Amino acid sequence: MAAQPAQRRRRPDAPRKGDLREQAILDAAEALLGGAGFEATTVAGIAAGAGISRGSLYFCFRSKQDVVAGMVARTVAALQRKSQDAAHDPAEPRKAIETVMARTSGLWQAHGVVMRAATDLNRTVPEVGALWSHTAEVFIEAITRILHRAGVPEGDGPHAAGSLARALCWMIERTFYPASQAGADELERASATCLEIWLRTARLA
C-alpha cells in the first residue's frame, strides 16, 4: 500500500492565522487613527484597511473601542517591559535615566498616535483607562527605584522619591504628547529637557 503523505504541522513558534488577522486589524487601526482621528475612524474603515470583512473583524474585536484598547495594549506592553527593565537596571543611576529616556522617546516616535490616543481616551474608554493607569504605575515604580538609588529618600512627603517620580511620570507624558505631533526634532528636544529635569531631581546635574 502506498505510503500516505506526512501531515503538515504548524511550527510551534509560527503565528496563528487568527493572530495575524488581529495584528493586521491593529496595524490598520493605528494607520487610520493617525490620519483621521478617533471619531472619524470607523469599524468599516479598519476592516477595509486590514483587508477583511466587518464580520471577520467582529470575530476578533467587539467594537471600535475594543480595537483601540487592543492597539493600546500592544504598545504599552513594550513601555511596561522597558520600565521593568529600567527598575532592575544595574547601571549607575545617570546611565539608567539616560537609557529610560531614550527608550521612552523611541516609543513615542514610533507609536505617538497610539500614545496620544491612550492619553485622550483613558477617561472615556474604561479598558484604555485601566491599561494606561497600570502602565503609569509601572513607570512610576521604575522612576522611584532609580531616584532612590541616586540618594533621594523614600517616604510620603513632597521631596520623597515616590512623590517626585509621580510628578516626573506625568510631566513626561504631557511634554511628549505635543512634541510627538510636531516631529522628530521637537520630540528630541522634549526628551532632552525631560532628561535634564530628571537628572536635576536626582541631584545628578
Side-chain angles (χ1 to χ4, degrees), residues 7-17 19-20:
Q7 184 177 6
R8 295 184 63 185
R9 294 183 180 179
R10 187 179 63 88
R11 294 198 338 264
D13 60 342
R16 296 178 182 273
K17 184 177 180 180
D19 295 336
L20 294 174

Side-chain angles (χ1 to χ4, degrees), residues 84-172:
Q84 289 167 343
D85 289 345
H88 300 92
D89 190 342
E92 55 92 12
R94 183 185 185 94
K95 180 62 176 177
I97 292 170
E98 291 172 347
T99 299
V100 171
M101 289 307 307
R103 290 174 176 174
T104 303
S105 180
L107 194 62
W108 276 86
Q109 176 67 33
H111 299 288
V113 168
V114 181
M115 303 289 274
R116 292 192 298 272
T119 302
D120 292 338
L121 300 173
N122 80 88
R123 294 183 181 277
T124 56
V125 180
E127 297 89 342
V128 172
L131 285 166
W132 199 237
S133 295
H134 177 65
T135 301
E137 291 303 321
V138 173
F139 194 40
I140 290 166
E141 174 62 22
I143 298 173
T144 301
R145 285 175 176 265
I146 295 172
L147 288 176
H148 185 56
R149 281 168 40 212
V152 179
E154 296 179 328
D156 299 324
H159 303 295
S163 299
L164 294 171
R166 189 166 296 277
L168 283 168
C169 171
W170 296 117
M171 176 204 72
I172 291 168

Side-chain angles (χ1 to χ4, degrees), residues 5 19 39 54 60 89 97 117 139 158 177 186:
D19 295 336
E39 293 300 328
R54 289 183 60 169
C60 298
D89 190 342
I97 292 170
F139 194 40
Y177 185 108
E186 190 61 32

Side-chain angles (χ1 to χ4, degrees), residues 2 12 22-23 26 57 69 75 77 124 141 156 163 165 167:
E22 181 175 317
Q23 293 308 311
L26 297 179
L57 185 148
T75 300
T124 56
E141 174 62 22
D156 299 324
S163 299

